[in-house]
Amino acid sequence: MSGRSRIAFSKTLNQMAIRKRAWVTPAGESKVAWLVDYRDQAGKRRAKQFRLKKDAEAWSVGAAWQVSRGVHTADSQSVTVAAAADLWIAKAEAEGRERGTVDQYGQLARLHIVPLIGAERLSRLTRPMAEAFRDELVATRSKAMASKAVRALSSILTEAQRRGLVAQNVAQGVRVTRPKRERAKVSIPTKAELRAMLDHAPDDMRPLLSTAIFTGLRASELRGLKWTDIDLKSATITVSQRADKFGEIGPPKSEAGHRTIPIAPALVAELTAWKLRCPKGKLGLAFPNGQGGVHQYGHLLRRKFFPLQAAAGVCDPVIIGGKPQVDKDGEPVMQARYGFHSLRHAAVSAWIKQRIDLKRLQVWMGHSGIQLTLDTYGHLIADASQDAELIAAAQAEFNS
């Protein structure tokens, strides 16, 4: 503590008056309490009552330190974490956030935040309490879910701080760290697997599959892609909207999601032919369902993409309890090997092998920053043979 901070703290503590309060209840019972009378950092008079004098004295020390630093919140100004979570969710709805995002906020609050810390008042939250909340999450949830819940609590407190309901965000900086060995590597289909899927794809599925493999667009972007955003003459696809998991059309989730990607002549030919037979709909979608509307993501996976992999032999037996499962006819039960997002990874893998520069890769993927691209695909960028060439060239330059 600096000298100036120590002086401010001492001055604030000296101004906190602790006095005894006695009264008689309507039932004739004598009561005694200890009242801390003080002024907050804005100069407003506040009071807090305690049953024991030692509790009042202990609280006044902490409150004096908070007031001297300008981060004190009186109980009368505060709300519970649960109430603050409701305000956070309401703000997301008012700002027109996607339905899926609002639903996710609600689930995080309802299932992971409110049960553990929802009854606490914001004014009583401390950094140790936020860390204890984190520890409880890690002990009872997956690391990924614990991380989401901790970030959500920090966002809730940031919104409460904006509203003047709390003076500081004690969850800021609280993190759930995941060792790199625990992070799942991207799953990339081989060339043979991709070729098998394309060869077995029905006529209404092959254009979508080809576009996913050769452009790296997300499933939501493909499901929301309009024909007006496909320039067959210039051989480009522009991402200007997406379809969420409820089938609702909206803008890309981030500014970086707005992008234009070049496409190869073979894909131009594929899409040109597909445009003639594509189901028509009022939304003008390039990959609609049979009625011209938005493809439901679950339907696309269960009815089309997963069966396609089974037909192409890109699948594995279902093993439960160490035993392969069989159907009623005694045939092994098979499951698809890849999720739809793996096609995006396949596109990146192909681009990296062509030695695409990192900035272009980031833009084509729609990543908000280069670090996300490196964190996700950095292991693919490593090239031992090129490394050896670079080292040899550097040594030759030194010796020349």
Side-chain angles (χ1 to χ4, degrees):
M1 186 188 303
S2 67
R4 182 175 296 177
S5 297
R6 188 180 297 109
I7 292 171
F9 166 64
S10 298
K11 182 179 179 181
T12 304
L13 185 59
N14 290 335
Q15 291 173 345
M16 286 198 165
I18 300 177
R19 67 175 185 271
K20 186 177 181 180
R21 176 173 176 255
W23 72 100
V24 178
T25 68
E29 184 181 2
S30 296
K31 292 282 187 179
V32 174
W34 294 89
L35 194 70
V36 180
D37 193 347
Y38 68 103
R39 292 187 181 275
D40 64 16
Q41 57 263 29
K44 188 169 183 178
R45 189 173 180 180
R46 305 286 184 184
K48 186 172 176 63
Q49 185 170 284
F50 297 88
R51 188 173 63 88
L52 301 176
K53 184 178 181 181
K54 65 177 182 179
D55 293 338
E57 291 173 339
W59 181 87
S60 67
V61 173
W65 172 240
Q66 292 175 351
V67 171
S68 69
R69 296 178 61 213
V71 295
H72 177 70
T73 303
D75 283 355
S76 59
Q77 275 186 290
S78 188
V79 297
T80 64
V81 172
D86 289 340
L87 293 172
W88 174 59
I89 295 168
K91 177 173 180 281
E93 290 178 325
E95 291 180 342
R97 299 295 295 272
E98 285 189 357
R99 181 178 165 191
T101 299
V102 175
D103 279 3
Q104 184 184 48
Y105 286 1
Q107 289 177 8
L108 286 169
R110 185 175 67 257
L111 301 177
H112 309 291
I113 296 174
V114 172
L116 299 182
I117 202 170
E120 292 291 344
R121 284 192 174 273
L122 302 187
S123 59
R124 298 176 185 174
L125 283 181
T126 63
R127 179 58 178 263
M129 291 171 68
E131 292 287 1
F133 168 71
R134 171 218 175 271
D135 293 344
E136 179 67 16
L137 286 170
V138 170
T140 56
R141 276 82 167 168
S142 68
K143 285 277 187 72
M145 183 54 68
S147 181
K148 289 180 181 178
V150 167
R151 292 198 302 271
L153 176 62
S154 182
S155 295
I156 289 169
L157 296 181
T158 295
E159 172 59 16
Q161 195 173 14
R162 184 186 74 84
R163 292 173 179 265
L165 299 174
V166 71
Q168 61 179 330
N169 181 352
V170 297
Q172 190 171 18
V174 178
R175 297 283 184 270
V176 176
T177 57
R178 297 177 66 189
K180 288 186 177 181
R181 64 178 179 274
E182 292 184 7
R183 298 174 188 171
K185 295 292 185 183
V186 295
S187 180
I188 305 174
T190 65
K191 286 184 181 179
E193 290 171 331
L194 293 171
R195 175 52 57 191
M197 283 190 270
L198 288 171
D199 289 344
H200 286 80
D203 288 344
D204 66 340
M205 185 65 178
R206 183 184 171 95
L208 171 64
L209 199 68
S210 298
T211 306
I213 292 172
F214 299 119
T215 67
L217 265 63
R218 302 174 176 91
S220 60
E221 295 167 343
L222 289 164
R223 290 165 49 240
L225 185 64
K226 302 177 296 182
W227 278 114
T228 53
D229 286 332
I230 301 177
D231 191 331
L232 296 172
K233 290 184 178 179
S234 298
T236 61
I237 288 178
T238 297
V239 178
S240 66
Q241 63 179 32
R242 63 189 289 273
D244 68 13
K245 66 178 182 179
F246 301 100
E248 296 177 0
I249 298 293
K253 293 197 74 172
S254 68
E255 187 61 33
H258 294 269
R259 63 197 189 279
T260 297
I261 303 168
I263 56 177
L267 183 54
V268 170
E270 179 100 51
L271 292 174
T272 300
W274 167 242
K275 190 173 184 179
L276 298 176
R277 64 181 195 276
C278 172
K280 303 300 185 290
K282 62 180 181 180
L283 297 176
L285 299 177
F287 304 112
N289 58 23
Q291 291 73 47
V294 178
H295 251 310
Q296 293 298 321
Y297 185 52
H299 181 279
L300 178 65
L301 293 179
R302 293 189 300 272
R303 301 285 185 87
K304 293 181 176 292
F305 188 55
F306 292 159
L308 167 60
Q309 290 185 64
V314 185
C315 51
D316 300 298
V318 176
I319 307 294
I320 299 179
K323 296 181 180 180
Q325 301 300 294
V326 296
D327 60 20
K328 57 184 177 59
D329 298 321
E331 295 295 324
V333 178
M334 308 298 287
Q335 62 183 356
R337 191 170 294 163
Y338 299 103
F340 201 89
H341 209 68
S342 291
L343 303 182
R344 178 170 162 86
H345 300 325
V348 176
S349 177
W351 290 336
I352 289 174
K353 287 179 181 178
Q354 296 303 314
R355 304 190 188 282
I356 183 176
D357 64 88
L358 282 177
K359 185 59 183 177
R360 187 172 297 169
L361 179 62
Q362 175 203 332
V363 172
W364 287 359
M365 295 308 293
H367 287 165
S368 57
I370 197 69
Q371 191 59 50
L372 175 58
T373 308
L374 288 170
D375 289 345
T376 308
Y377 300 111
H379 65 290
L380 298 178
I381 298 172
D383 186 334
S385 61
Q386 187 183 31
D387 288 348
E389 292 175 9
L390 289 172
I391 291 298
Q395 185 173 351
E397 177 67 22
F398 178 78
N399 292 331
S400 62

